[in-house]
């Protein structure tokens, strides 16, 4: 089955929505160029990127300088201190010194205790399931630079983009282009083990037998790769096991009316079961609005085993605290998606622990979003990384060979 985190949900009435929300920022030129090459340029649409915070169940806009100056969660002095920190971050191109600092250490240094306690600590607790002490300061640097890109392209200022049919249309177009070029895609085949011998990749053992290739690019989360690979090199496996990920539980609602006029709202109360509210109109069904209520968790968090029905009860009861007029009668569709390894965690001193694309085994490559550090694992960065991986493999194999991904 194609898609993964870029998959779509198909409801009984034929309506399709992206399983997870993926946004294009105005500066995502690599992704827009790929869409154009695949004939998807007319499917790119843009909407207002109005953002805000939810604090004490009340919404506070945070989309422009006036919103910032009137932000009630901080006093005037701390507002200016926070603004100075954001400006310094946007102008900081050398991030290497941040690799050695935790996010908490750096935020306290440059933003002060008040801003940390009122703004950053709740956001970090919600994002990292309460465990953020070892998260690198580069995460904040990358996140602030990513979000500030909304206003950096004049003709697309203060907008975010997305594909009408979601990122699944991009995956589908890539698959069709791959097949047209002579590639093959195998569906419903479970990989059981990657066999190596004498420091070299040999073959892939699957539910349908063994498959042989000259080279193999493994494009899965690092913990899954570690499970598939035998351990003749203990040092390498020890490095694989250091790679930590966030899981994701993401309820999606299709409503018959908008919840608000905000694209995204960040919650500062970690007691809520979700940390963000993201809303977009359905691009092909007028009068339908898609709302995502994601919760990042540890991969083994108990919420992973909670039923969709119980998640709906918990999430809806908290949603009503922010939007008292919301009721279940407005819900046309409801579904819950889960991923145990949705996003890599970039820890302090990540530079020395970052895994190379080339593994210790000749002919075996690892390619995943843990390698895009210090940047966030966005679609833009992922496509750029994929191109670099393809070039690296091609450099090792200048003549035509069989390569599996």
């Amino acid at each position: 089955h194609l898609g993964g985190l870029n998959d779509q949900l198909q409801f009984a009435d034929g309506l399709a929505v992206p399983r997870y929300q993926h946004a294009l920022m105005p500066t995502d030129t690599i992704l827009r160029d790929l869409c154009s090459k695949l004939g998807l340029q007319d499917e790119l649409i843009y909407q207002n990127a109005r953002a805000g915070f939810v604090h004490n169940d009340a919404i506070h806009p945070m989309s422009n300088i006036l919103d910032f100056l009137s932000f009630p969660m901080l006093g005037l002095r701390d507002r200016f201190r926070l603004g100075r920190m954001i400006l310094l971050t946007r102008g900081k191109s050398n991030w290497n010194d941040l690799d050695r600092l935790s996010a908490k250490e750096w935020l306290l240094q440059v933003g002060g205790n008040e801003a940390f306690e009122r703004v950053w600590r709740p956001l970090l607790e919600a994002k990292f399931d309460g465990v953020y002490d070892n998260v690198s300061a580069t995460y904040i640097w990358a996140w602030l630079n990513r979000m500030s890109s909304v206003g950096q392209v004049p003709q697309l200022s203060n907008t975010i983009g997305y594909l009408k049919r979601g990122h699944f249309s991009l995956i589908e177009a890539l698959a069709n282009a791959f097949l047209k070029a002579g590639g093959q895609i195998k569906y419903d085949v479970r990989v059981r083990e990657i066999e190596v011998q004498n420091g070299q990749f040999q073959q892939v053992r699957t539910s349908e037998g063994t498959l042989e290739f000259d080279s193999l690019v493994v494009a899965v989360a690092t913990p899954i790769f570690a499970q598939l690979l035998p351990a003749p090199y203990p040092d390498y496996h020890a490095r694989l096991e250091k790679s930590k990920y966030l899981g994701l539980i993401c309820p999606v609602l299709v409503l018959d009316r908008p919840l608000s006029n905000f694209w995204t709202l960040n919650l500062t109360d970690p007691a809520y079961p979700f940390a963000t509210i993201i809303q977009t109109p359905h691009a092909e069904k007028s009068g339908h609005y898609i709302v995502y209520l994601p919760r990042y968790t540890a991969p083994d968090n108990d919420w992973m085993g909670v039923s969709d029905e119980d998640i709906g009860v918990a999430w809806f009861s908290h949603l009503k605290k922010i939007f008292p007029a919301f009721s279940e009668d407005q819900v046309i569709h409801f579904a819950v998606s889960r991923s145990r390894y949705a996003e890599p965690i970039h820890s302090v001193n990540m530079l020395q622990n970052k895994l190379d694309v080339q593994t210790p085994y000749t002919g075996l490559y690892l390619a995943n979003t843990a390698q895009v550090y210090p940047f966030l694992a966005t679609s833009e960065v992922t496509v750029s990384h994929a191109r670099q991986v393809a070039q690296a493999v091609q450099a090792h194999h200048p003549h035509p060979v069989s390569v599996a991904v």
Side-chain angles (χ1 to χ4, degrees):
H1 183 68
L2 289 174
L5 293 175
N6 297 291
D7 197 5
Q8 64 178 358
L9 293 165
Q10 191 85 36
F11 295 106
D13 62 358
L15 188 74
V17 301
R19 188 176 292 276
Y20 303 100
Q21 206 269 346
H22 298 277
L24 281 77
M25 294 300 182
T27 52
D28 287 350
T29 55
I30 294 174
L31 197 56
R32 290 208 308 272
D33 178 61
L34 178 60
C35 288
S36 295
K37 288 181 179 179
L38 294 171
L40 298 175
Q41 64 272 16
D42 293 336
E43 294 203 19
L44 280 172
I45 55 178
Y46 294 87
Q47 73 170 68
N48 187 282
R50 194 174 188 218
F53 283 84
V54 176
H55 180 65
N56 291 336
D57 300 332
I59 297 174
H60 304 285
M62 183 60 83
S63 297
N64 54 51
I65 189 64
L66 292 177
D67 292 339
F68 184 80
L69 290 174
S70 60
F71 192 49
M73 291 173 59
L74 296 173
L76 185 61
R77 177 177 175 273
D78 286 298
R79 266 179 261 159
F80 277 107
R81 193 170 182 180
L82 178 60
R84 178 177 175 273
M85 173 201 161
I86 293 172
L87 290 174
L88 286 173
T89 302
R90 289 174 58 179
K92 186 177 180 62
S93 58
N94 186 356
W95 50 267
N96 292 56
D97 58 321
L98 299 181
D99 176 71
R100 299 183 293 274
L101 291 173
S102 72
K104 180 179 179 179
E105 288 174 319
W106 188 56
L107 289 168
L108 285 170
Q109 284 179 17
V110 298
N113 187 70
E114 188 75 8
F116 181 80
E117 289 298 326
R118 288 182 174 271
V119 178
W120 295 114
R121 182 185 60 77
L123 293 178
L124 287 169
E125 285 188 357
K127 174 68 177 183
F128 296 100
D129 203 13
V131 184
Y132 59 85
D133 286 346
N134 200 43
V135 172
S136 173
T138 56
Y139 172 79
I140 302 297
W141 172 84
W143 184 79
L144 285 173
N145 276 290
R146 173 73 175 167
M147 297 308 295
S148 66
S149 68
V150 167
Q152 291 181 19
V153 180
Q155 64 269 31
L156 297 175
S157 183
N158 297 316
T159 64
I160 58 100
Y162 53 95
L163 288 158
K164 285 183 180 179
R165 295 179 292 131
H167 268 40
F168 181 75
S169 59
L170 178 61
I171 299 300
E172 195 173 44
L174 283 168
N176 290 336
F178 176 67
L179 293 172
K180 188 176 180 180
Q184 296 181 352
I185 300 176
K186 288 184 173 289
Y187 296 95
D188 300 320
V189 179
R190 180 178 292 276
V191 175
R192 301 196 185 281
E193 187 179 12
I194 299 168
E195 296 185 2
V196 293
Q197 188 175 4
N198 298 325
Q200 185 158 349
F201 164 68
Q202 296 295 313
Q203 58 189 7
V204 181
R205 191 162 58 83
T206 76
S207 56
E208 294 188 354
T210 57
L211 301 173
E212 296 185 356
F213 307 97
D214 295 303
S215 292
L216 178 68
V217 179
V218 185
V220 299
T222 308
I224 298 175
F225 177 58
Q227 294 170 13
L228 295 173
L229 190 66
Y233 294 150
D235 290 346
Y236 183 62
H237 265 260
R239 291 187 65 200
L240 295 179
E241 290 170 358
K242 287 182 179 179
S243 185
K244 304 299 180 185
Y245 278 70
L246 288 168
L248 177 60
I249 301 168
C250 188
V252 56
L253 293 71
V254 180
L255 304 180
D256 63 6
R257 69 200 71 180
L259 274 178
S260 71
N261 59 353
F262 288 85
W263 162 54
T264 182
L265 292 168
N266 293 296
L267 280 66
T268 62
D269 186 351
Y272 270 69
F274 49 90
T276 312
I277 302 171
I278 304 168
Q279 176 183 274
T280 62
H282 196 287
E284 298 182 309
K285 189 71 171 179
S286 178
H288 287 52
Y289 299 85
I290 310 169
V291 175
Y292 298 91
L293 303 172
R295 175 192 177 96
Y296 286 92
T297 74
D300 57 354
N301 188 288
D302 290 343
W303 277 109
M304 282 289 181
V306 175
S307 69
D308 291 5
E309 182 181 0
D310 288 341
I311 283 178
V313 171
W315 264 243
F316 288 1
S317 66
H318 284 82
L319 196 62
K320 290 175 182 177
K321 293 180 180 180
I322 306 169
F323 303 102
F326 169 75
S327 74
E328 285 83 346
D329 295 338
Q330 301 166 14
V331 180
I332 301 170
H333 294 295
F334 173 74
V336 180
S337 298
R338 299 170 180 82
S339 174
R340 291 193 180 276
Y341 304 111
E343 185 176 332
I345 298 175
H346 292 165
S347 303
V348 175
N349 294 319
M350 187 73 179
L351 269 179
Q352 66 186 39
N353 296 316
K354 183 178 175 181
L355 293 165
D356 294 329
V357 170
Q358 173 67 66
T359 73
Y361 310 95
T362 303
L364 181 62
Y365 305 88
L366 174 65
N368 61 35
T369 54
Q371 297 163 327
V372 305
Y373 180 82
F375 303 104
L376 301 184
T378 64
S379 300
E380 172 82 355
V381 172
T382 301
V383 171
S384 176
H385 181 55
R387 289 179 175 177
Q388 293 170 11
V389 171
Q391 291 168 0
V393 174
Q394 190 174 33
H396 283 100
H397 305 281
H399 304 292
V401 293
S402 60
V403 179
V405 179

